[in-house]
Amino acid sequence: MSIEAKPAIMERGGKSEWEMLLQEEALLRIIGLRVEFRTERALVQALNGVDLVIHKGESLGLVGETGAGKTTTALSILNLLATDIAFLKGGYIEFDGRDVYDMSQAELRAMRGGKVSMIFQNPLTALNPVFTVGEQIALVLRIHQGLKNKAAMVRASELLEMVGIPGYRVKDFPFQFSGGMRQRVGIAAGLACNPQLLIADEPTTALDVTIQAQILELMRELQKEYSASLLMITHNLGIISELCQRVAVMYAGRIIEYGAAERVFASPKHPYTTGLLGALPALEGPRHQLTAIPGVIADAQNLPGGCAFHPRCEFCRAECETVQPLMTHVGDGHFVACYQYGEG
């Protein structure tokens, strides 16, 4: 990603509860992150002031519709966005106290895969088809832990066993595995170096429901065993409720609701979050009619003024169309960016 100006830490008097939360000691801190994509044909405002913190050992779910900016946020953490089209317009990212965009290439290589690992959405394209799965896991171990070839392959076999794949299959190629098994290989590679932060980008999207449940249970057990922090990116609210302690709801490149997953799902405050939950069928209790959020997600090439959700919101007020609401504390660590609560 190209950096056009060094982002500054803004100090303001009378800090809000949200600002104080963002300044707590944390493993990962994202403040006011703004990212644009520029091509000859379009200017896309992908991230528009993302604020987020993840504490050590915490599991956070990042949820939103396709195009909300979830994957862009994840790639920004690793500084992996294409430098020719992606531009950092403001804000900063700190990992373990270090500004990611101040890191040297050597520091970035040490962080990627060593301290921060990412499990990608498509397990087939995430693995190199011309190398065995064992060679690909062993490469991570050789780079970050300095293991020799033989020791790295032995450890790769152990990691496959840990995720439920026979160790002898280190000599097999990705095409010889099913989708669920390829995703397990990705998890094994991600956990190879005991990372401090594991980012999972829609890890169960292409899998059937039975395999999804197995993968989620595996991730829960491994996160607990390794005491790693987890950023789970998904549009599936059920996954968040099963796996994450906290949830951040994203819309049009901003966090619009944040809090303990149990509290947010029991008492959503933002109309967008309410709409997402209303479209989710209930497996227990009385039947109810599913609701749909009117309209379509905001166009990142032409974002509306004020609150980006206002063209789809039944509670829209005049100020919603002109001034972007701030995060308001509504109790017990629950925050929402909406003019229905306080001053917005």
Side-chain angles (χ1 to χ4, degrees):
M1 186 195 303
S2 297
I3 303 175
E4 299 200 334
K6 174 65 179 174
I9 299 177
M10 303 301 293
E11 294 292 345
R12 294 185 292 180
K15 294 183 177 66
S16 67
E17 290 94 335
W18 180 246
E19 290 172 314
M20 289 189 287
L21 171 71
L22 296 176
Q23 292 181 9
E24 290 179 359
E25 183 177 348
L27 178 66
L28 176 72
R29 189 192 324 276
I30 304 175
I31 305 294
L33 187 65
R34 296 181 180 275
V35 174
E36 287 183 355
F37 292 114
R38 298 178 194 165
T39 67
E40 294 180 357
R41 297 183 178 181
L43 171 64
V44 177
Q45 295 171 301
L47 300 180
N48 301 291
V50 174
D51 295 327
L52 207 60
V53 291
I54 300 179
H55 301 92
K56 292 183 178 181
E58 181 181 54
S59 54
L60 174 73
L62 185 59
V63 65
E65 292 173 279
T66 299
K70 304 185 301 296
T71 298
T72 301
T73 301
L75 294 176
S76 297
I77 294 169
L78 291 166
N79 198 355
L80 281 177
L81 292 174
T83 56
D84 56 337
I85 62 170
F87 295 86
L88 179 65
K89 297 295 293 180
Y92 62 96
I93 302 174
E94 282 184 358
F95 176 75
D96 203 17
R98 289 278 287 116
D99 189 329
V100 170
Y101 294 101
D102 273 346
M103 290 183 180
S104 66
Q105 286 302 312
E107 289 175 309
L108 285 172
R109 283 193 296 270
M111 180 185 74
R112 298 167 182 158
K115 298 178 181 178
V116 182
S117 289
M118 186 164 177
I119 301 170
F120 293 92
Q121 181 172 350
N122 190 332
L124 181 59
T125 57
L127 296 171
N128 193 321
V130 301
F131 294 100
T132 67
V133 297
E135 289 172 326
Q136 295 182 62
I137 297 173
L139 178 63
V140 178
L141 294 164
R142 291 201 302 270
I143 291 174
H144 294 289
Q145 296 193 341
L147 297 185
K148 301 298 182 182
N149 289 346
K150 185 175 180 180
M153 288 299 288
V154 170
R155 179 57 181 155
S157 176
E158 294 172 352
L159 287 163
L160 288 182
E161 294 277 0
M162 182 184 68
V163 297
I165 298 175
Y168 65 83
R169 298 203 65 181
V170 289
K171 297 181 180 180
D172 288 347
F173 290 87
F175 75 88
Q176 295 174 279
F177 293 84
S178 66
M181 294 182 78
R182 283 195 293 264
Q183 195 59 283
R184 288 171 182 266
V185 172
I187 294 172
L191 292 170
C193 298
N194 301 338
Q196 295 172 269
L197 173 64
L198 181 63
I199 302 172
D201 185 8
E202 303 274 12
T204 61
T205 296
L207 308 178
D208 63 60
V209 291
T210 305
I211 302 301
Q212 281 187 24
Q214 293 175 5
I215 294 295
L216 292 177
E217 181 59 30
L218 174 64
M219 292 187 67
R220 182 188 291 108
E221 293 174 358
L222 293 175
Q223 190 214 356
K224 184 177 180 180
E225 179 181 346
Y226 284 86
S227 299
S229 299
L230 173 66
L231 175 59
M232 171 63 74
I233 298 171
T234 183
H235 60 267
N236 189 324
L237 298 174
I239 290 176
I240 300 297
S241 64
E242 286 287 326
L243 202 61
C244 298
Q245 299 161 318
R246 299 187 184 278
V247 60
V249 182
M250 176 174 268
Y251 186 81
R254 292 191 78 228
I255 303 301
I256 58 171
E257 188 160 1
Y258 170 92
E262 185 178 23
R263 179 180 172 89
V264 171
F265 291 153
S267 180
K269 301 303 181 186
H270 199 283
Y272 178 65
T273 310
T274 303
L276 290 177
L277 290 166
L280 190 67
L283 299 180
E284 300 177 355
R287 296 181 181 179
H288 67 276
Q289 175 128 14
L290 300 182
T291 58
I293 303 174
V296 295
I297 192 168
D299 182 2
Q301 296 183 41
N302 185 27
L303 288 174
C307 173
F309 187 67
H310 85 256
R312 308 173 69 183
C313 182
E314 62 178 311
F315 305 105
C316 179
R317 305 176 184 179
E319 59 264 40
C320 300
E321 301 179 12
T322 56
V323 182
Q324 197 172 74
L326 302 176
M327 289 291 258
T328 298
H329 188 225
V330 292
D332 294 333
H334 188 175
F335 296 85
V336 62
C338 181
Y339 281 112
Q340 293 186 88
Y341 303 92
E343 297 299 321

